[in-house]
Amino acid sequence: YQRRVMGTITTTSTLVCAFDEYAAESTACVDYIGELTHKAAELGDSIDQLVEFAGYEFDVDIQKRLLRVASFGKSFSNTYVTDNFVNMCRRLKVLQYLRAIGTLISLEQLAVIEDSRLTKRLATHGHYQLAFEIAEILNSSVTPLLGIWARHLIGSIPKASPSTSAHERSTYFEIVTDMILNKFELYHYRGVMPYEPVAVFAHRIGEQTRDQNYTDIALRLLSASPSADTRFRVLLSWNQPKEALKEAVASGSSDMIFTVMEHLLAAKDMEFSSDKVAGAITVLNQYPESAAILRSYIKCVTEAHTQRNVVKVYSDSFREFTTQC
């Protein structure tokens, strides 16, 4: 840096001298500043040079000095675009964070690695908070990081033991769920949060371990998802028709309610069983909207299949439904 800047008569060296004299509170800085104002066209290039030099330096003190000089030069240029300066400051900060965990890389190596790959790799190796901070600095997506972190948190919950009561274990699961939801809420302004994939992950563990606590986590995470379509679709895939019907009624979608009804009846080529019809009645009769749709559906199916004599519809179940409605 000294060989390329100091001892020359370039605008860059003039800027460095002006900064040094200004820092020393010397009146000589006035002459240098006057010279810089007459070289406004070259000043922007000189600032970029100093920013570039800072990127090649491993000494943090020299980096800071070069960036201070560059920042000083910006004060005398009305046309300088600060994007390059801001981007370099951010990347140097990332390099310092990486060196703190023993990862020493250059600016060129950092440029080769995509921002998302870098943060995802850090999260995969357990450096979650560092990954979040670097994602903030580089303005990259935090959604994959939050997904990795939340799945790790759920997957690392210890197995049930005789020394732990059911209430204590349930409380522990609630604390974990609150941690995840609070973290998602903290970063909700950065984009779509991974409510669905994390909920699916928790539900899968619940099915494998037959532990209702994991299912409860999955339902709470899914209920926090802002997408009604996503909540409805996943609940049906989990064979949770009652919860899916609640979502369908809340959304006011007749198509969703009809889909739940078909799921409950498991209708295929209109082959109903009395048990399926009775079960569907019990669930669908909880809400006026779904009861009305089922009543219309039963009427249409009864008339159609009475004429064609394809299947026998269970009139006892229909009569019970009519009585309940």
Side-chain angles (χ1 to χ4, degrees):
Y1 143 68
Q2 277 103 352
R3 287 197 301 271
R4 296 183 65 178
V5 177
M6 304 303 292
T8 66
I9 56 174
T10 63
T11 305
T12 305
S13 63
T14 303
L15 178 56
V16 173
C17 292
F19 176 79
D20 289 340
E21 295 296 338
Y22 177 81
E25 298 182 354
S26 171
T27 56
C29 70
V30 177
D31 295 332
Y32 289 115
I33 292 174
E35 188 175 344
L36 290 173
T37 56
H38 288 89
K39 297 180 179 180
E42 302 174 10
L43 185 56
D45 293 336
S46 299
I47 296 171
D48 284 336
Q49 275 188 349
L50 291 169
V51 171
E52 182 183 358
F53 294 161
Y56 287 104
E57 285 291 346
F58 280 95
D59 190 311
V60 176
D61 292 333
I62 296 179
Q63 286 179 358
K64 290 180 178 179
R65 169 172 163 75
L66 290 170
L67 291 175
R68 287 194 188 103
V69 175
S71 180
F72 179 75
K74 289 194 300 159
S75 305
F76 308 107
S77 176
N78 296 325
T79 59
Y80 181 74
V81 180
T82 60
D83 292 353
N84 188 37
F85 179 86
V86 172
N87 184 58
M88 180 60 73
C89 290
R90 287 176 175 173
R91 295 199 169 274
L92 289 177
K93 191 173 184 178
V94 170
L95 292 179
Q96 291 178 20
Y97 279 151
L98 293 176
R99 289 168 191 168
I101 62 171
T103 304
L104 187 64
I105 63 174
S106 66
L107 193 66
E108 288 85 353
Q109 290 172 316
L110 180 63
V112 172
I113 306 174
E114 294 179 4
D115 297 344
S116 58
R117 286 179 56 196
L118 171 63
T119 53
K120 190 174 181 179
R121 188 176 301 177
L122 288 169
T124 303
H125 285 80
H127 299 289
Y128 301 110
Q129 191 57 42
L130 180 59
F132 291 140
E133 291 180 4
I134 289 179
E136 284 284 325
I137 294 171
L138 299 178
N139 198 30
S140 60
S141 175
V142 297
T143 300
L145 311 180
L146 289 168
I148 295 172
W149 169 77
R151 283 191 288 267
H152 170 77
L153 201 62
I154 295 171
S156 61
I157 295 176
K159 296 181 180 179
S161 64
S163 60
T164 305
S165 66
H167 176 71
E168 290 175 338
R169 184 165 173 79
S170 176
T171 302
Y172 184 80
F173 273 84
E174 289 179 3
I175 293 173
V176 170
T177 308
D178 289 339
M179 289 175 60
I180 295 173
L181 291 174
N182 291 338
K183 197 77 165 181
F184 286 3
E185 180 65 24
L186 182 64
Y187 287 99
H188 77 280
Y189 69 96
R190 294 294 305 275
V192 179
M193 294 293 100
Y195 291 104
E196 178 192 353
V198 177
V200 170
F201 175 80
H203 187 267
R204 187 182 303 118
I205 295 180
E207 288 184 327
Q208 294 171 353
T209 61
R210 299 184 182 278
D211 191 335
Q212 181 61 33
N213 289 302
Y214 288 102
T215 304
D216 293 340
I217 283 184
L219 290 173
R220 278 194 64 189
L221 289 173
L222 189 63
S223 66
S225 173
S227 173
D229 290 339
T230 298
R231 295 195 301 267
F232 176 78
R233 174 175 50 80
V234 176
L235 286 169
L236 274 187
S237 70
W238 291 350
N239 196 27
Q240 297 274 354
K242 293 182 180 179
E243 295 296 327
L245 180 61
K246 187 186 299 183
E247 291 289 342
V249 172
S251 68
S253 171
S254 299
D255 290 339
M256 286 185 178
I257 296 175
F258 188 82
T259 302
V260 176
M261 185 180 64
E262 284 189 320
H263 179 86
L264 288 167
L265 293 171
K268 193 176 246 185
D269 297 330
M270 301 303 180
E271 295 178 359
F272 301 112
S273 70
S274 56
D275 292 339
K276 288 176 181 176
V277 173
I281 290 170
T282 302
V283 176
L284 295 170
N285 201 32
Q286 295 177 5
Y287 304 97
E289 298 88 346
S290 55
I293 291 177
L294 180 58
R295 187 188 302 110
S296 300
Y297 182 66
I298 287 174
K299 182 179 179 181
C300 293
V301 171
T302 304
E303 293 175 353
H305 289 283
T306 298
Q307 296 170 3
R308 290 173 6 192
N309 296 320
V310 178
V311 294
K312 177 182 177 182
V313 181
Y314 294 84
S315 57
D316 292 341
S317 297
F318 293 156
R319 192 178 302 111
E320 178 186 353
F321 171 76
T322 305
T323 302
Q324 291 178 2
C325 292

